[in-house]
């Protein structure tokens, strides 16, 4: 089958019209919004954009985007409306004067599960379907499939299924449930683990900072070690599911708590604050002190302590 000059597909059964690409509106042209807009324009999607600072939209107009003078005008232009603004308050302000009846709102603003659920109810009360998104990428990754960007989506399944192809243009899509708060929950859960890793990396480099140790030589060792340790994630998930925290234990809690003083003394000797590690060590010690039998467990019991 081929495509002729009139934009139709031809084959043995004759010409068939191409499926038109979904037109959409994008509110917000910060670094991420601009990257999203560029991806949709490059793919041929008709795009209407609005930004509080209008000058940021001019380069996109040169690429074919239609510029709207107000958020309300931008929303009126298309059924599918993607929001990529600063925060939830700015979403409310931008959409306050728009008629949302029959609109499909996709909110890519980073927020909490609670704000996502409240915004979903707010949209529903105004006659709109709602989908919340958590972007797992930085702007340079958008529109670059090999970089592995993706977005968590939660909320209206019908909205997601109807617009899946358009939403997949800038980044991969992962639908995580009809509860509008789940995309934000997944997003923050992954980012929280990331910051925990960053804390450990910072402590590791601080330990060697004043020694004749080349950080560049330590880096690949640190990276490969952390990669090897990611296997514990699946173990923790399995133990939480079964409730047996002693299943598959390699280094039990009692042994690890016994080793804590070595980490603290080393930090002291090196003149490094242990403040990034001590909160976790304290939780380990509390779990063991609560019941000596917990000493046979993995570190999974810390999860229950965090839940209060």
């Amino acid at each position: 089958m081929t495509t002729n000059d009139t934009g139709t597909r031809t084959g043995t059964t004759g010409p068939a019209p191409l499926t038109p690409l979904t037109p959409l509106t994008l509110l917000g042209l910060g670094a991420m919004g601009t990257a999203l807009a560029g991806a949709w324009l490059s793919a041929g999607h008709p795009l209407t954009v609005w930004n509080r600072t209008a000058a940021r939209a001019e380069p996109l107009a040169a690429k074919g985007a239609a510029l709207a003078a107000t958020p309300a005008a931008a929303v009126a232009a298309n059924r599918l409306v993607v929001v990529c603004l600063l925060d939830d308050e700015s979403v409310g302000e931008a959409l306050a004067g728009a008629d949302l009846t029959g609109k499909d709102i996709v909110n890519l603003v980073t927020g909490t599960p609670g704000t996502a659920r409240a915004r979903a109810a707010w949209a529903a009360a105004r006659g709109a379907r709602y989908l919340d998104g958590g972007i797992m990428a930085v702007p340079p990754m958008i529109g670059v499939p090999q970089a592995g960007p993706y977005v968590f989506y939660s909320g209206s399944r019908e909205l997601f299924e109807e617009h899946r192809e358009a939403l997949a243009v800038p980044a991969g899509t992962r639908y995580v449930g009809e509860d509008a708060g789940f995309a934000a929950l997944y997003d923050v859960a992954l980012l929280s683990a990331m910051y925990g890793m960053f804390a450990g990396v910072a402590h590791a480099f601080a330990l060697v900072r004043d020694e004749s140790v080349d950080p560049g030589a330590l880096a690949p060792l640190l990276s490969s070690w952390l990669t090897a340790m990611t296997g514990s994630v699946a173990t923790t998930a399995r133990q939480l599911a079964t409730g047996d925290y002693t299943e598959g234990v390699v280094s039990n809690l009692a042994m690890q708590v016994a080793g804590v003083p070595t980490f603290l003394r080393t930090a002291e000797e090196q003149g490094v604050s242990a403040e990034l590690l001590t909160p976790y060590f304290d939780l380990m010690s509390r779990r063991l002190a609560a019941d000596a039998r917990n000493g046979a467990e993995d570190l999974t019991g810390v999860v229950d302590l965090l839940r209060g």
Side-chain angles (χ1 to χ4, degrees):
M1 180 176 291
T2 61
T3 301
N4 64 23
D5 293 336
T6 62
T8 59
R9 291 192 180 94
T10 58
T12 56
T13 58
L18 286 169
T19 302
L21 294 174
T22 302
L24 68 154
T25 286
L26 175 64
L27 305 181
L29 297 174
M32 182 59 76
T34 298
L36 294 169
W40 276 311
L41 287 171
S42 294
H45 283 266
L47 182 68
T48 299
V49 298
W50 172 85
N51 192 63
R52 189 179 303 277
T53 303
R56 294 191 67 108
E58 292 174 0
L60 295 170
K63 297 179 180 179
L67 307 187
T70 65
V75 170
N78 297 297
R79 179 181 175 192
L80 177 59
V81 178
V82 179
V83 184
C84 191
L85 296 168
L86 177 63
D87 53 25
D88 184 68
E89 182 179 358
S90 62
V91 174
E93 291 175 355
L95 296 179
D99 181 3
L100 302 185
T101 306
K103 299 296 182 179
D104 289 335
I105 307 297
V106 178
N107 187 6
L108 300 183
V109 175
T110 301
T112 69
T115 57
R117 290 164 182 149
R119 187 58 65 188
W122 179 90
R126 287 157 178 78
R129 296 191 298 184
Y130 182 88
L131 197 65
D132 205 73
I135 303 175
M136 305 308 296
V138 293
M141 297 169 66
I142 298 300
V144 185
Q146 59 269 31
Y150 65 90
V151 180
F152 288 122
Y153 288 105
S154 61
S156 170
R157 182 181 295 275
E158 293 78 12
L159 188 166
F160 176 76
E161 293 297 342
E162 182 173 338
H163 299 298
R164 181 199 293 262
E165 290 187 11
L167 295 175
V169 168
T173 61
R174 301 194 182 190
Y175 183 78
V176 292
E178 294 187 358
D179 184 322
F182 275 11
L185 185 61
Y186 275 68
D187 180 15
V188 174
L190 267 62
L191 292 176
S192 296
M194 177 192 76
Y195 280 114
M197 181 192 72
F198 286 168
V201 169
H203 185 84
F205 278 119
L207 289 176
V208 305
R209 187 65 170 158
D210 294 331
E211 302 284 356
S212 57
V213 174
D214 176 11
L218 179 64
L221 299 174
L222 191 54
S223 180
S224 62
W225 176 251
L226 291 173
T227 299
M229 291 301 99
T230 59
S232 66
V233 174
T235 299
T236 299
R238 184 170 61 252
Q239 291 172 348
L240 288 170
T242 64
D244 182 1
Y245 297 172
T246 64
E247 177 188 357
V249 174
V250 175
S251 300
N252 66 38
L253 178 63
M255 184 184 75
Q256 296 206 49
V257 169
V260 165
T262 297
F263 292 93
L264 300 180
R265 285 197 302 269
T266 300
E268 183 179 7
E269 290 176 5
Q270 295 301 108
V272 171
S273 170
E275 63 191 292
L276 292 175
L277 301 184
T278 48
Y280 191 72
F281 288 156
D282 289 346
L283 286 167
M284 290 165 53
S285 297
R286 280 173 51 196
R287 179 70 179 178
L288 181 60
D291 191 330
R293 291 173 296 181
N294 293 342
E297 296 178 348
D298 216 323
L299 299 178
T300 306
V302 168
V303 174
D304 294 335
L305 288 180
L306 291 175
R307 295 176 59 243

